[in-house]
Amino acid sequence: MALPVSTPQQLPGGVPPVRRVAPAIVMAGAGLGAVLLVGALALWFHYGTAVFFEMISSGISACF
């Protein structure tokens, strides 16, 4: 079995960068989901249920 060319190096500080990036990605996804939900609710209350569902269905049918 081949040995690795270099040995793994420890970063200064002891915390790998992946540990700091993952929570940021999760928080960004949660923030985007919250913005989409608030936007959908705003459209629902502004246009009413019939127009809201008609806009959603026409948007989905335009994609396919």
Side-chain angles (χ1 to χ4, degrees):
M1 184 169 207
L3 295 174
V5 176
S6 63
T7 59
Q9 301 284 328
Q10 280 286 13
L11 292 175
V15 178
V18 175
R19 298 261 186 222
R20 287 179 272 183
V21 173
I25 293 172
V26 170
M27 291 301 292
L32 179 62
V35 167
L36 289 175
L37 179 64
V38 168
L41 288 174
L43 286 174
W44 186 316
F45 286 122
H46 185 267
Y47 291 113
T49 57
V51 176
F52 176 77
F53 285 121
E54 195 63 35
M55 288 174 64
I56 297 297
S57 65
S58 66
I60 290 173
S61 67
C63 292
F64 301 103

